[in-house]
């Protein structure tokens, strides 16, 4: 069950969804767009330095975000490229920022972060082995099997499949993710079970349920249904609370942060 952090009750503080608030020792959450200082399409808590936002505003936003994240002052990130490369992050490599769309760590104190607007942010934990993973899955990443690659990386880092929990964060929903029918056909062809999460759209178009497709991929990889949580709404429908490029008519928007790690 998801819960809103107490900080969301103030208009000026970043709000964060914490689906695992009942699990002790996990540093995690899905930020929305509230609580920052950026303007326009970046309003307000944009945490990307690469979308053309004011550097000073992004710096202030990160200061506010770090205060919410707590213990760790550094969040390890990747240069997201819509692929399926997953990196193992250690305290030593946490500042490297290589190309990729996912990270896992087995070191408490290392916090991993991914940025998204409509793409699916995926967090994974094994709270006993203290292994955490963060992944950024747009439609390309979903087609590339990022969720499964991430799961395999979790296991390589010492996680046990029976203990892994996954949270899929705010992302574009089946209500709004309309794509060319050809692309939807490709999902149905390349991902077993994906056809069930497609419905017809306007002529030549179809709607896809990305979170349901990622969930199907994880179930097929061996996770139990109760290990997977969907946190937060469709970003386009809830564009007041979350950045959504679709809601902005395709304009470059700010990006929200999803983060996970274990307390040192
Ligand atoms: Zn929607």
């Amino acid at each position: 069950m998801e819960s809103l952090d107490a900080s969301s009750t103030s208009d000026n503080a970043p709000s964060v969804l914490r689906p695992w608030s009942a699990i002790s020792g996990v540093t995690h959450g899905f930020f929305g767009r509230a609580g920052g200082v950026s303007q326009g399409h970046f309003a307000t808590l944009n945490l990307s330095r690469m979308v053309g936002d004011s550097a000073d505003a992004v710096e202030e936003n990160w200061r506010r975000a770090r205060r919410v994240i707590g213990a760790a002052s550094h969040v390890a990130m990747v240069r997201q490229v819509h692929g399926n490369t997953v990196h193992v992050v250690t305290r030593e490599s946490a500042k490297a920022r290589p190309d990729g769309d996912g990270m896992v760590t087995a070191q408490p104190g290392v916090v991993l972060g991914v940025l998204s607007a409509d793409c699916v942010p995926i967090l994974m934990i094994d709270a006993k082995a203290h292994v955490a993973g963060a992944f950024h899955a747009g439609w390309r990443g979903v087609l590339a099997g990022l969720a499964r690659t991430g799961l395999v990386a979790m296991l390589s880092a010492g996680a046990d499949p029976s203990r892994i929990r996954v949270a899929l964060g705010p992302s574009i929903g089946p209500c709004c993710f309309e794509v060319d029918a050809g692309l939807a056909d490709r999902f149905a062809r390349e991902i077993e079970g994906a056809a069930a999460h497609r419905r017809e759209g306007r002529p030549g178009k179809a709607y896809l349920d990305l979170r349901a497709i990622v969930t199907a991929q994880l179930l097929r990889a061996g996770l139990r249904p109760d290990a997977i949580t969907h946190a937060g709404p469709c970003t386009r429908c809830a564009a007041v609370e979350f950045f959504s490029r679709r809601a902005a008519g395709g304009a470059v928007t700010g990006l929200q942060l999803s983060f996970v790690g274990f307390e040192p």
Side-chain angles (χ1 to χ4, degrees):
M1 297 301 103
E2 65 201 47
S3 62
L4 278 170
D5 184 78
S7 61
S8 67
T9 54
S10 158
D11 283 348
N12 296 317
S15 60
V16 58
L17 288 165
R18 296 190 202 273
W20 298 318
S21 53
I23 302 174
S24 67
V26 187
T27 301
H28 79 293
F30 297 100
F31 280 110
R33 64 188 293 184
V37 297
S38 295
Q39 303 287 317
H41 284 312
F42 308 121
T44 58
L45 191 69
N46 167 50
L47 293 168
S48 173
R49 297 182 175 90
M50 299 182 210
V51 291
D53 193 4
S54 138
D56 287 349
V58 177
E59 209 41 59
E60 171 61 17
N61 292 342
W62 266 104
R63 201 180 62 76
R64 294 179 180 205
R66 283 195 196 96
R67 210 161 52 206
V68 174
I69 294 167
S73 57
H74 179 73
V75 177
M77 318 250 314
V78 281
R79 265 177 228 285
Q80 299 173 185
V81 292
H82 293 282
N84 68 348
T85 301
V86 175
H87 296 275
V88 177
V89 180
T90 62
R91 279 183 279 278
E92 291 70 34
S93 71
K95 294 196 173 169
R97 200 159 190 167
D99 285 356
D101 286 276
M103 294 153 285
V104 298
T105 187
Q107 291 187 344
V110 173
V111 175
L112 313 173
V114 289
L115 295 167
S116 61
D118 291 323
C119 295
V120 185
I122 306 173
L123 304 182
M124 298 189 193
I125 52 166
D126 174 338
K128 187 167 178 218
H130 290 173
V131 176
F135 314 92
H136 155 262
W139 65 263
R140 290 182 188 83
V142 175
L143 272 179
L146 175 62
R148 188 192 169 86
T149 306
L151 192 58
V152 170
M154 289 284 292
L155 302 182
S156 299
D160 185 293
S162 69
R163 292 192 305 251
I164 291 178
R165 287 165 178 266
V166 182
L168 308 182
S171 43
I172 193 155
C175 37
C176 295
F177 190 47
E178 194 184 34
V179 300
D180 288 339
L183 179 60
D185 291 344
R186 217 180 126 194
F187 272 81
R189 220 169 33 242
E190 296 181 16
I191 302 175
E192 218 175 325
H197 305 295
R198 166 215 171 112
R199 69 182 166 84
E200 293 309 310
R202 291 170 292 169
K205 302 276 186 179
Y207 288 91
L208 290 176
D209 187 340
L210 276 185
R211 289 205 292 199
I213 293 169
V214 170
T215 298
Q217 288 176 316
L218 292 168
L219 294 176
R220 202 161 292 278
L223 293 193
R224 295 188 321 272
D226 65 359
I228 305 167
T229 303
H230 292 193
C234 163
T235 43
R236 185 174 182 239
C237 288
V240 173
E241 289 95 12
F242 296 96
F243 290 113
S244 167
R245 289 196 173 164
R246 288 255 177 153
V252 174
T253 66
L255 298 175
Q256 52 231 348
L257 181 77
S258 305
F259 61 96
V260 67
F262 285 92
E263 289 167 13

